[in-house]
């Protein structure tokens, strides 16, 4: 097991990906549009060539930091 963290700043559009608190990549995915009710979705896929692939989660946490809004 290892810890993964993904952060997204809706103002700058920057996503950062961490493994065990070490930044692995930074990517600009674009800003979150200023609409009346913006939404964001997360999709996880354990796709592979053969059956039996899994993506196991333990203690999945999703938070919103209102400090940037």
């Amino acid at each position: 097991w290892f810890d993964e963290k993904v952060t997204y700043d809706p103002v700058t559009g920057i996503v950062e990906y961490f493994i065990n608190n070490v930044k692995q990549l930074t990517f600009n995915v674009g800003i979150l549009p200023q609409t009346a009710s913006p939404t964001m979705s997360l999709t996880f896929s354990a796709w592979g060539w053969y059956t039996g692939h899994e993506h196991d989660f333990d203690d999945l946490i999703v938070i919103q930091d209102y400090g940037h809004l």
Side-chain angles (χ1 to χ4, degrees):
W1 292 95
F2 53 91
D3 292 330
E4 291 178 284
K5 178 171 73 171
V6 178
T7 63
Y8 170 67
D9 185 332
V11 176
T12 65
I14 300 295
V15 168
E16 295 178 315
Y17 175 68
F18 300 81
I19 295 176
N20 293 328
N21 288 320
V22 176
K23 189 188 313 184
Q24 303 297 314
L25 67 88
T26 301
F27 192 74
N28 188 335
V29 298
I31 63 171
L32 192 61
Q34 297 281 330
T35 63
S37 57
T39 60
M40 178 182 288
S41 61
L42 301 172
T43 303
F44 303 93
S45 176
W47 183 87
W49 284 100
Y50 302 101
T51 61
H53 291 18
E54 298 178 346
H55 196 147
D56 296 329
F57 292 91
D58 187 20
D59 300 323
L60 176 65
I61 300 171
V62 178
I63 62 171
Q64 180 173 350
D65 180 0
Y66 290 97
H68 289 223
L69 300 177

